[in-house]
């Protein structure tokens, strides 16, 4: 995910990048990664999870369910303030990844020296969609691995139970045989 985000930053000639997952409740987001440039000099305190209602202008793509572009972040009338110590924003592109009618991920880049173009938005959107598919595949693989571990444990338990049953049947047969001989 980080490599894909770094690629989006590079392809758009941006200075920073971010990627957030939106939780199932569609009310909280999970910070996944920032680009190395975004973290340079950033002293803002950030939690791994926060309410989407506290998201700044970069969260507008979630609220509008479409890509948003800000050419002059400092003078945008409806922006929420950035946390203290956050990297300054001059320009920003923020793109939602939508699946099943819900926003599942937000990816964005910022601080390109010149205005963003449609090609930049399209590149971020394509990379975001691919990164979401990668994340979903990784989650599915982890879930399958957990299920495999559980099945192997259940299989071992069944084998042990079967062995105990066979041993019990052998002992029962020996007891019957001994009783028959004694009779």
């Amino acid at each position: 995910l980080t490599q894909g985000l770094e690629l989006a930053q590079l392809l758009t000639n941006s200075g920073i990048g971010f990627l957030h997952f939106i939780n199932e409740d569609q009310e909280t987001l999970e910070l996944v990664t920032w680009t190395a440039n975004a973290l340079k000099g950033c002293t803002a305190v950030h939690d791994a999870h926060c309410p989407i209602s506290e998201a700044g202008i970069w969260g507008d793509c979630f609220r509008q369910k479409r890509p948003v572009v800000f050419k002059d972040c400092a003078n945008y009338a409806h922006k929420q303030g950035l946390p203290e110590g956050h990297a300054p924003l001059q320009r920003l592109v923020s793109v939602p990844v939508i699946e099943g009618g819900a926003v599942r991920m937000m990816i964005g880049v910022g601080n390109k020296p010149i205005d963003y173009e449609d090609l930049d938005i399209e590149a971020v959107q394509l990379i975001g969609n691919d990164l979401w598919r990668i994340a979903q595949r990784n989650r599915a693989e982890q879930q399958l691995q957990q299920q495999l571990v559980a099945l192997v444990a259940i299989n071992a338990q069944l084998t042990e139970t079967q062995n105990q049953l066979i041993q019990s049947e052998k002992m029962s047969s020996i007891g019957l045989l001994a009783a028959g001989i004694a009779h």
Side-chain angles (χ1 to χ4, degrees):
L1 295 175
T2 301
Q3 288 175 341
L5 182 58
E6 293 282 351
L7 178 63
Q9 178 183 299
L10 179 69
L11 287 175
T12 59
N13 194 29
S14 296
I16 62 171
F18 65 88
L19 190 146
H20 301 287
F21 288 151
I22 308 301
N23 293 326
E24 286 296 320
D25 62 9
Q26 292 287 291
E27 293 181 14
T28 55
L29 59 88
E30 175 187 349
L31 169 64
V32 177
T33 188
W34 286 351
T35 59
N37 281 349
L39 293 174
K40 284 182 185 171
C42 179
T43 59
V45 177
H46 51 276
D47 293 326
H49 295 271
C50 77
I52 194 73
S53 61
E54 293 178 15
I57 59 175
W58 48 271
D60 283 356
C61 73
F62 170 84
R63 292 183 271 276
Q64 297 175 24
K65 291 189 174 21
R66 65 175 181 82
V68 292
V69 179
F70 298 95
K71 295 181 180 183
D72 185 6
C73 293
N75 294 314
Y76 180 63
H78 302 291
K79 73 173 182 172
Q80 293 181 3
L82 295 173
E84 187 177 326
H86 192 282
L89 283 176
Q90 290 100 26
R91 290 174 190 79
L92 176 70
V93 169
S94 186
V95 176
V97 174
I98 299 173
E99 182 182 75
V103 177
R104 302 300 179 181
M105 187 178 90
M106 295 185 306
I107 181 172
V109 292
N111 296 346
K112 181 177 181 174
I114 59 174
D115 286 347
Y116 285 101
E117 300 173 4
D118 289 342
L119 190 60
D120 296 316
I121 298 165
E122 195 173 317
V124 173
Q125 199 159 31
L126 289 170
I127 290 170
N129 289 338
D130 284 345
L131 292 178
W132 177 247
R133 282 192 288 273
I134 290 168
Q136 287 300 94
R137 187 181 68 232
N138 285 345
R139 287 179 177 176
E141 287 174 359
Q142 287 176 350
Q143 192 174 31
L144 285 173
Q145 185 63 35
Q146 290 171 348
Q147 289 173 345
L148 178 63
V149 167
L151 287 173
V152 167
I154 290 170
N155 190 39
Q157 188 178 13
L158 285 172
T159 301
E160 176 64 28
T161 302
Q162 182 182 22
N163 288 339
Q164 288 175 354
L165 208 71
I166 290 171
Q167 187 65 26
S168 177
E169 287 176 4
K170 285 181 184 177
M171 294 305 286
S172 176
S173 295
I174 290 172
L176 286 173
L177 183 63
I181 291 173
H183 181 66

